[in-house]
Amino acid sequence: MRRPLVEKLQQFVEKQPMSLHVPGHKNGYFSTLPKALRDSLSYDVTELTGLDDLHAPEGVIQEAQDLLSTFYGSDASYFLVNGSTVGNLAMMLAATTPGDRVLIQRNAHKSVFHAVELARVRPVFITPEWDHRTETAAHVSLQGIQQAFHEFPDIRAVALTTPTYFGVVSDLLEIVEFCHTKGVPVLVDEAHGAHFQGSDYFPVSALECGADVVVQSAHKSLPAMTMGSFLHSKSKFVGKDRLEHALRMLQSSSPSYPVMASLDDARAYLASFTARDYHHFMDKRALFLDSLQGISGLDIVEVDDPLKLMIRVGTHAGHQVRDALEQQGVYVELAHGQHVLWMLPLLKYGEDYRFAELRSRVKRACEALKSVRPQALPVVTAVAANQLTKPEVALEEVQRRNGEWISYTKAIGRIAKGAIIPYPPGIPLLLPGERFTVKTLVQLEECLMGKAAFQGEHRLAQRQVYVLEETN
């Protein structure tokens, strides 16, 4: 439970120091935020004597990162204050050179595709297999990876995502071993799996499977602040110097000390997670699930990650279930198809959550849905696994050429200039350089009917998308 950075910050604040340095709120004195937030600003400091420097750590930050590395079994581990996004960008830059061929799992997070653009590599996308439990795209098979290397023997890096947003975990061991026989590093976005290291009963982590660089969002499943993430490296293919150089370029030169302290705290929380804690969590979880079984119309889909649950209520659309729950003050991670996704808290022995009250609110939401007509949704068809695709127009050309806004109903056959990204989960539906197809249009309409929110370059409120101008 040692927390070097947390302890040093506490000692610093107890001295009641006077601030003649940034930030301008001066330990919260000039802030007009609500009191609870204002009081925490005494910890929002900068690189002062004794508090170390994230970009050249030698003291408490280095000690905290060393504890992180020891716990996760890496060669080196790093605090990320710009979220897992910055980790995905950094590992792509460190593992590749411009022009390299990189194999990308098609249901990756948008930050992985941004990393492709930033690193100026040539992507090959591989479609994952379909998970019938969750009705979502899941993982890539060893056979799919082998086929990709057969068709593209010049692949220089492989970027995978596990677990998926919906808690489905890939078996990486054989994939990593195969890639390493080719001298190719495996980069893993394990944003939703930071807690796997906490117990042998949890799924096996990517790092334990031999992945070269792994990024984890500590804030997703551990008690860390939003934007707080980890990056772990254990590789003979990706140099530590290149990785650290990328992090220095990409991370803020004014990192948040509260975020870093929360990462130190989250690591300590998980490092002290015992078998007794695990069984307590699973017992509480089982009791809660049993209590939900009596709610009429409610179905539960359990997945590989015990922190994730997918909930369905009759034939209602996921966004209808989400809205009914929000009316009862219950906020879910996302709505997808006919499901909503819940993320449970990682309890320790002696800790509890408001499960009885939660059940009551869920029951009221389900009762309210009985008077709501279920919205018909298109039938979601399974994706064809292991398909290999490339952008039809290189990103450099997409950036050079002019674009125009057109109705998405007229976009079939046109090349996208802007990305279309349902968020959450942040998995792109279409990327710049890819062609609109009938399938793309069907998937887009599914998302619109499901009341999905979107990021990227689009005007979907006006039913418009951004495409390349056609050349004569």
Side-chain angles (χ1 to χ4, degrees):
M1 282 299 294
R2 288 195 56 245
R3 300 173 299 165
L5 183 55
V6 173
E7 293 158 11
K8 179 62 74 171
L9 277 173
Q10 284 181 306
Q11 294 168 9
F12 182 81
V13 169
E14 287 168 1
K15 296 177 182 178
Q16 298 184 322
M18 298 183 68
S19 171
L20 295 177
H21 54 78
V22 300
H25 58 67
K26 304 302 178 185
N27 299 330
Y29 186 84
F30 291 100
S31 172
T32 57
L33 286 169
K35 186 177 185 303
L37 284 173
R38 188 172 67 247
D39 288 348
S40 70
L41 293 181
S42 59
Y43 291 87
D44 184 34
V45 291
T46 189
E47 292 86 353
L48 304 174
T49 302
L51 297 183
D52 208 0
D53 180 349
L54 179 64
H55 291 284
E58 296 178 339
V60 288
I61 293 176
Q62 185 59 57
E63 187 179 353
Q65 290 187 149
D66 287 344
L67 287 170
L68 178 67
S69 176
T70 298
F71 175 63
Y72 278 92
S74 68
D75 289 340
S77 293
Y78 306 90
F79 288 164
L80 304 180
V81 295
N82 296 69
S84 286
T85 289
V86 79
N88 285 333
L89 298 177
M91 68 181 178
M92 185 68 72
L93 285 172
T96 65
T97 57
D100 279 355
R101 179 85 67 189
V102 179
L103 183 63
I104 309 288
Q105 187 171 325
R106 188 61 180 80
N107 59 329
H109 187 263
K110 62 177 182 174
S111 59
V112 176
F113 300 102
H114 290 159
V116 167
E117 186 174 352
L118 188 65
R120 296 191 175 277
V121 294
R122 295 178 297 154
V124 174
F125 305 132
I126 180 169
T127 57
E129 297 190 350
W130 187 255
D131 183 73
H132 292 281
R133 293 173 300 169
T134 60
E135 298 179 352
T136 61
H139 53 77
V140 176
S141 69
L142 172 62
Q143 293 72 26
I145 299 290
Q146 291 171 331
Q147 180 63 30
F149 273 88
H150 177 74
E151 293 190 30
F152 299 94
D154 59 342
I155 290 171
R156 294 292 175 262
V158 174
L160 302 176
T161 300
T162 181
T164 67
Y165 208 112
F166 303 95
V168 180
V169 178
S170 303
D171 183 1
L172 286 180
L173 189 60
E174 290 184 333
I175 290 176
V176 172
E177 289 177 348
F178 171 77
C179 292
H180 284 177
T181 65
K182 300 290 185 179
V184 170
V186 178
L187 317 176
V188 178
D189 178 357
E190 197 177 41
H192 288 260
H195 58 293
F196 289 176
Q197 191 69 18
S199 172
D200 291 339
Y201 298 103
F202 287 141
V204 179
S205 71
L207 206 60
E208 288 182 285
C209 289
D212 295 84
V213 188
V214 178
V215 176
Q216 299 168 332
S217 294
H219 66 94
K220 284 182 166 59
S221 57
L222 303 181
M225 291 177 65
T226 297
M227 293 174 62
S229 296
F230 300 142
L231 184 147
H232 310 287
S233 175
K234 190 172 185 179
S235 176
K236 62 181 179 181
F237 302 112
V238 182
K240 179 182 176 184
D241 290 345
R242 291 195 65 186
L243 198 56
E244 292 181 352
H245 177 66
L247 288 174
R248 285 194 296 271
M249 285 195 301
L250 296 168
Q251 294 227 81
S252 170
S253 59
S254 301
S256 165
Y257 271 81
V259 170
M260 289 190 290
S262 78
L263 289 172
D264 190 20
D265 183 65
R267 187 272 315 154
Y269 185 91
L270 192 64
S272 59
F273 194 82
T274 65
R276 187 186 195 189
D277 294 326
Y278 171 82
H279 291 298
H280 171 74
F281 160 68
M282 292 301 289
D283 287 344
K284 289 289 185 181
R285 179 182 181 276
L287 288 171
F288 176 55
L289 296 192
D290 285 345
S291 75
L292 295 176
Q293 298 297 335
I295 299 178
S296 175
L298 185 144
D299 293 311
I300 302 168
V301 178
E302 296 187 64
V303 291
D304 303 328
D305 180 0
L307 291 190
K308 298 286 182 71
L309 292 174
M310 295 186 74
I311 305 299
R312 182 173 61 240
V313 181
T315 58
H316 286 87
H319 70 89
Q320 293 179 304
V321 180
R322 176 198 62 204
D323 293 347
L325 287 168
E326 288 184 358
Q327 288 295 316
Q328 300 299 326
V330 176
Y331 292 84
V332 302
E333 179 65 16
L334 62 78
H336 173 81
Q338 288 190 317
H339 296 87
V340 293
L341 179 66
W342 291 358
M343 293 189 67
L344 300 179
L346 184 61
L347 300 174
K348 284 188 172 183
Y349 183 79
E351 296 174 343
D352 206 344
Y353 196 65
R354 297 153 59 192
F355 286 123
E357 181 182 348
L358 177 57
R359 183 198 180 277
S360 297
R361 295 189 185 197
V362 171
K363 184 177 181 180
R364 290 198 296 269
C366 291
E367 290 293 327
L369 281 169
K370 290 180 179 179
S371 61
V372 177
R373 183 177 181 178
Q375 179 181 339
L377 292 175
V379 176
V380 179
T381 55
V383 297
N386 301 324
Q387 285 187 331
L388 299 170
T389 60
K390 299 184 295 181
E392 293 196 29
V393 177
L395 288 175
E396 292 83 356
E397 184 178 345
V398 171
Q399 292 166 352
R400 283 196 306 268
R401 287 173 55 180
N402 294 328
E404 61 177 333
W405 294 97
I406 65 171
S407 168
Y408 76 80
T409 60
K410 299 178 180 179
I412 294 174
R414 300 292 296 272
I415 299 295
K417 184 171 174 65
I420 300 177
I421 308 167
Y423 196 91
I427 297 167
L429 182 63
L430 197 72
L431 293 164
E434 293 186 320
R435 188 179 298 276
F436 275 88
T437 64
V438 173
K439 183 179 179 181
T440 308
L441 183 59
V442 170
Q443 291 174 325
L444 178 57
E445 289 182 331
E446 288 174 356
C447 292
L448 290 170
M449 290 182 68
K451 306 295 184 183
F454 290 88
Q455 294 184 353
E457 299 78 26
H458 66 84
R459 295 176 181 171
L460 287 172
Q462 292 81 41
R463 296 294 196 262
Q464 290 184 327
V465 292
Y466 199 31
V467 299
L468 293 181
E469 284 187 352
E470 291 184 315
T471 56
N472 296 327

